[in-house]
Amino acid sequence: MDERLLRTLLGEQHPDLADLPVRAAARGWDNQLWRLGDTLAVRVPCTERAPDLLRKEYRWVPELAPRLPLPVPVPLRLSEPSASFPHPWAVTAWVGGEPADRAAVTRGDHAAEALAGFLRALHRPAPEEAPDNPERGVGLTVVADGVEQGLPVLLPPAVASAARAVWDDAVSAPAWAGPRTWLHGDLHPANVTVAGGTLAGVLDFGELCAGDPATDLAAAWTLLPAGASGRFFQAYGCADDATIRRARGWAVRTALGLIGIGRAGDQGLPGGKPTWGPAGRSALDRVLADAG
């Protein structure tokens, strides 16, 4: 995708938007992001799975967004494949702020309250037709192989040992026995924005699904600064000890993923993102400190 092709696509399917200023904004994991005027964005798929994720977001995010207390990229139009571009693409609301892998959260108490309010609003029982996700909202044993393989490869021995203890405790915690709740499914620093030292928005609902809320509650360590997790869980108000233990396990898994993608970025490998490595190591430091 380049600006010329994007303007062609806008002219073909959304001529009322075709004259707005356009500029490249970012390349995410599944989509290229373009800024469209002052209030809109265009998301263009760049992986094989991205078109299905865009359709899922278009189906569900407009229904969920009105109850969420932080801005989210609500899909406004879903554009169909054409002779000019063989995949669907979406026009969404623009969410301001800088991604948290590039801008620090410094107002920990405020961010903890904001995140807790967002997740309280999101974590409501989902309808039967809400999507499942094979790697989010599931029991930790389902994703254990990746963690077991990543611990010795990505971490120094002493850190790997401490992380394994947290992971093992999480896996042994009682399973979620409540209803399938709505989940964002992918709360890591590149998927939230920061302004004024606190959370300003939540991005990328491509992993949206229903299941165990512990998956999202890992954000107490992956998104918030040291010392803020207690305030977060107090404000969230409905996470028992078993859920918090499972959330620590999800935080270890997310941190390993960030560290691995950061390492790939440092090595110049495809899909690597250098800013993710420090974010992952910081998240792991926080969860290990709290677990200790």
Side-chain angles (χ1 to χ4, degrees), residues 13-243:
Q13 299 198 38
H14 308 291
D16 58 316
L17 306 178
D19 293 331
L20 291 174
V22 170
R23 66 179 185 274
R27 177 168 178 137
W29 192 257
D30 290 294
N31 297 282
Q32 280 183 293
L33 184 67
W34 294 77
R35 186 84 183 261
L36 180 62
D38 293 329
T39 62
L40 301 175
V42 177
R43 297 177 70 202
V44 181
C46 55
T47 65
E48 289 185 4
R49 71 180 198 143
D52 287 341
L53 301 184
L54 288 176
R55 293 187 186 280
K56 177 173 66 174
E57 291 182 74
Y58 187 75
R59 163 65 182 88
W60 291 109
V61 175
E63 185 174 312
L64 298 173
R67 73 178 191 230
L68 301 178
L70 287 172
V72 300
V74 180
L76 304 173
R77 306 184 190 185
L78 185 65
S79 305
E80 294 301 324
S82 68
S84 300
F85 189 72
H87 306 291
W89 48 281
V91 178
T92 75
W94 174 259
V95 176
E98 289 293 321
D101 61 326
R102 300 176 182 272
V105 174
T106 56
R107 297 167 59 196
D109 286 349
H110 188 283
E113 295 276 354
L115 179 62
F118 178 86
L119 291 180
R120 277 201 318 271
L122 177 62
H123 289 172
R124 297 182 185 177
E128 185 176 346
E129 64 272 23
D132 292 316
N133 188 309
E135 295 188 344
R136 320 291 165 115
V138 295
L140 288 169
T141 56
V142 177
V143 296
D145 286 350
V147 174
E148 295 289 344
Q149 294 166 12
L151 285 169
V153 172
L154 295 170
L155 303 179
V159 179
S161 178
R164 183 178 296 278
V166 174
W167 173 256
D168 288 345
D169 179 69
V171 171
S172 69
W176 175 246
R180 296 166 70 243
T181 68
W182 279 113
L183 306 176
H184 178 277
D186 204 19
L187 288 173
H188 62 74
N191 280 347
V192 299
T193 62
V194 174
T198 191
L199 297 182
V202 178
L203 309 176
D204 194 351
F205 283 72
E207 301 289 356
L208 181 74
C209 62
D212 179 1
T215 301
D216 281 354
L217 297 178
W221 300 282
T222 61
L223 298 183
L224 299 177
S229 61
R231 180 70 170 266
F232 166 79
F233 282 111
Q234 182 180 30
Y236 182 76
C238 51
D240 61 15
D241 178 69
T243 300

